[in-house]
Amino acid sequence: FLPFIYFYGKITRTEPLYTDESLKSLIEGSKKIDYKKATEQLGHHSRPIEETIADSYEWFKKQRYIK
């Protein structure tokens, strides 16, 4: 997957969205992340994944990344 990102970056002359380090952090990072602190101290509340996906789809559509 990562070689494709670098290849795409070269073609489009843009920086890759992900680096080796960021992907390694996602893969090897802690699986025990707790959101309680964000909720308690910052008042953050997550929303349903279905709503997030629907909003993301609409945004990509509006930006004309998809039809």
Side-chain angles (χ1 to χ4, degrees):
F1 184 71
L2 200 53
F4 174 75
I5 292 172
Y6 287 129
F7 181 66
Y8 179 79
K10 287 199 180 280
I11 291 173
T12 61
R13 296 183 180 165
T14 60
E15 290 291 319
L17 295 174
Y18 306 101
T19 63
D20 290 332
E21 294 83 12
S22 64
L23 291 176
K24 185 176 179 180
S25 294
L26 289 172
I27 293 167
E28 297 176 1
S30 175
K31 305 294 184 219
K32 297 181 180 179
I33 297 173
D34 189 1
Y35 64 88
K36 285 182 187 175
K37 188 174 182 180
T39 301
E40 292 169 0
Q41 294 183 6
L42 302 174
H44 172 76
H45 298 283
S46 59
R47 62 185 186 159
I49 189 69
E50 296 85 3
E51 183 180 333
T52 301
I53 291 171
D55 285 350
S56 297
Y57 176 79
E58 289 303 319
W59 184 87
F60 279 102
K61 196 171 160 183
K62 186 176 180 181
Q63 301 301 317
R64 298 180 186 204
Y65 288 116
I66 56 176
K67 291 183 180 185

